[in-house]
Amino acid sequence: MKTLTSMVRPDGWCKHFDFSTRSCSIYDDRPQFCRVDKDRYVQSFQIEPDDFADFAADCCAQSIDDVYGESSDVMVRFEAAQEALEVVLVPTPGRLIPEGDSA
């Protein structure tokens, strides 16, 4: 926890986040808690493995809301990307087809 708190600036952002490039300046050497990994999230946040994708998406949405706002262009793009990922697949013998498509 000491490592985590030492990385957070007074404004709440990580001191290694480069705003001009919107990237992490220590990405290859970042600590374990900065790595988005299903097993790590399940263990760290005590979530069910099947809830990982929704949990991670909620974390992203909260961050976007905090930084850019609930109605920002960034949030609109994020929500559109999330909707595009929500294609429901229907099993058919030997293959999967998106719901609503004909076989």
Side-chain angles (χ1 to χ4, degrees):
M1 188 59 139
K2 187 175 184 178
T3 302
L4 173 62
T5 56
S6 72
M7 294 175 64
V8 180
R9 300 185 324 200
D11 63 3
W13 284 91
C14 176
K15 67 182 182 182
H16 299 290
F17 182 72
D18 183 336
F19 284 92
S20 63
T21 62
R22 296 177 65 164
S23 65
C24 174
S25 64
I26 61 165
Y27 187 82
D28 291 336
D29 299 316
R30 69 196 186 281
Q32 292 298 316
F33 58 76
C34 291
R35 299 168 189 264
V36 177
D37 172 89
K38 183 177 183 174
D39 293 335
R40 187 167 291 112
Y41 267 54
V42 167
Q43 180 182 5
S44 298
F45 298 104
Q46 289 85 46
I47 61 171
E48 294 297 319
D50 290 344
D51 295 334
F52 169 70
D54 289 337
F55 183 82
D58 287 344
C59 290
C60 291
Q62 289 175 19
S63 294
I64 292 168
D65 183 24
D66 289 346
V67 175
Y68 300 101
E70 181 180 347
S71 302
S72 67
D73 290 341
V74 176
M75 184 65 82
V76 169
R77 289 193 306 272
F78 175 77
E79 289 172 347
Q82 289 298 299
E83 288 175 17
L85 292 174
E86 293 176 1
V87 175
V88 178
L89 297 178
V90 179
T92 59
R95 65 188 180 127
L96 297 175
I97 54 173
E99 186 174 42
D101 285 1
S102 58

